Amino acid sequence: MAIRSGACTLCAGWTATLPCRRPPATVDRSRRLVQPPCLSTTFPPVQMQRMWALHAAAAIQVEAGDEVLLESPGHFRIYKSGKMDRLNDPTVMPAGLDEATGVTSRDVVLDADTRVSVRLYLPKLPGNQSSTKLPVLVYFHGGAFLIGSADDAAYHGYVNALAAAAGALVVSADYRLAPEHPLPAAYDDCWAALRWAAAPSTQDEWISEHGDTSRLFLAGDSAGANIVHEMLARAAASDDGPRMEGAILLHPWFSGSEAIEGELAAVPVFNGMIWSYTCPGAVGGADDPRINPLAPGAPSLETLPCERMLVCAAEKDVLATRIRAYHQTVAAGACRAAWFESEGEDHDFFLGKPDCESAKQLLDRVVAFIAEG
């Protein structure tokens, strides 16, 4: 997709082409949501800025003096004032039986005040295996922390297919979004969902009857894969944090204040803008360890509390270089880290075209990883 920043345009696909439900498609401009973002990034060289100046005419002027700072067409538009429009359609799917896969889902509210919830997915079990305990997989959706939801049609379809193919009980977390709820709200919500799913005291009948929480997996895509890493970091720092058998990072969103070797200089600029908008209080800006796990002083990646990890990238994804660097660092530690790359594909392609051959190969690899034991 094209991500446009004022006079600049960058072709990238790191935000999923997804509709969402919460909050409404257009943010009420009559109220101030957050302070304008503090952009702690290093901008491209002068020659690159001159090249991008060709796109100056694309800058969108809306209200007097309120210029577009960053736009991901069809997804969101962020203004210099700090306001944001969500541009995606509110397409959602209700929980229930999915006829195509035989998976049944239902929603559980975890916090009545914040309305943070999870959607549980239970695959169809053969009659003679009704007492079989299934691995429990906690899933976090993507969307740059700005859009998306567990009941989004694309995610609902993907998780149905994943639960059926992997034979896993899936807990899909629905977390609060920025800018109405700046980070760490999403991290906190997902941590609560993870602890709820993993806790022996959880009284949910599906998990107690069909789930094996000793076989606990985390998975997520894009910003959701970033959340997977943060959950591992929190578990490592917690005395009673859950230990995961495996973690699956699908095209994780990581960045930094400066480009790394092999990475386009424009990539951390745009990612830094969005990170500053979603997490305006981040210490270190785009080198906050939550968005840049490779930053100097970040917690070690060699002691993550999971036995195995699968890191997935797409060949044409502008994030691929940084994702590979993350994988190589994790692989040097105690966690067995596998790598899978989809040739000729872009970021989160499997959500937009789930029936293509590359999407099927990726799903097969994820399923095989869960089954490895």
Side-chain angles (χ1 to χ4, degrees), residues 216-282:
L216 182 64
F217 291 83
L218 299 182
D221 68 284
S222 195
N226 174 287
I227 293 173
V228 169
H229 170 77
E230 173 62 11
M231 297 302 99
L232 292 172
R234 289 194 180 196
S238 175
D239 293 334
D240 60 348
R243 182 166 186 85
M244 276 59 70
E245 177 177 332
I248 302 163
L249 285 75
L250 302 168
H251 309 174
W253 181 40
F254 296 133
S255 191
S257 62
E258 297 182 0
I260 63 175
E261 183 178 356
E263 183 179 44
L264 293 173
V267 175
V269 174
F270 286 94
N271 287 333
M273 287 180 177
I274 294 171
W275 173 252
S276 295
Y277 187 71
T278 59
C279 192

Side-chain angles (χ1 to χ4, degrees), residues 28 34 83 98 121 146 189 192 284 309 365-366:
D28 182 2
V34 296
K83 295 176 294 187
D98 180 62
Y121 294 80
L146 296 171
D189 295 345
M309 179 182 288
R365 183 64 187 93
V366 170

